[in-house]
Amino acid sequence: EAARNYVRLHSGGRRHVVRETLKNLEARLDPSQFVRVHRSAIVNLARVRQVHEWFHGAYLLVLADGTKVTTGRAYRERVLQRLHFLR
C-alpha cells in the first residue's frame, strides 16, 4: 500500500516499509502474480479469496488473511481481466 514516497508491504502478518514509490515497485513485480487494484494498492492474485461488487462500479477484494481492499474505478477492467471473472 502506498504511503507517499514509501510503500508498506504486508506479508505473512508482518509489515515492511520500503522507500520506493508504488509505481516503481509495480514495474518490478511479476505481472502474472500481482495486479494494481487502486492508486494506492497492489495485491497478490493468489491471495484473493472473494470478490464482491462494491459502490460505483468498484469491487471489494477479500484476501486470504481477511484483509479487505477496494478497487479503484480506473482499475476495474484490469482487475476483472486478471481475475478471469465476469467475462
Side-chain angles (χ1 to χ4, degrees):
E1 90 187 276
R4 297 189 185 215
N5 286 332
Y6 293 87
V7 174
R8 277 191 224 119
L9 303 172
H10 301 266
S11 176
R14 299 181 67 194
R15 286 187 187 176
H16 308 276
V17 178
V18 178
R19 184 165 170 77
E20 183 166 19
T21 63
L22 201 59
K23 182 178 180 177
N24 288 340
L25 180 62
E26 179 183 21
R28 294 184 7 210
L29 292 171
D30 180 353
S32 68
Q33 189 174 357
F34 294 89
V35 64
R36 186 146 187 186
V37 299
H38 191 275
R39 66 185 176 124
S40 63
I42 297 173
V43 299
N44 181 338
L45 292 168
R47 306 293 292 164
V48 177
R49 294 294 179 258
Q50 297 176 5
V51 180
H52 303 279
E53 288 188 17
W54 205 237
F55 300 100
H56 308 291
Y59 287 92
L60 176 70
L61 307 178
V62 181
L63 306 182
D65 67 354
T67 300
K68 296 176 181 174
V69 180
T70 56
T71 65
R73 286 182 295 178
Y75 298 91
R76 174 191 160 95
E77 288 302 316
R78 182 186 316 183
V79 171
L80 291 178
Q81 288 173 356
R82 298 300 305 285
L83 291 173
H84 304 288
F85 123 100
L86 292 182
R87 294 275 175 207

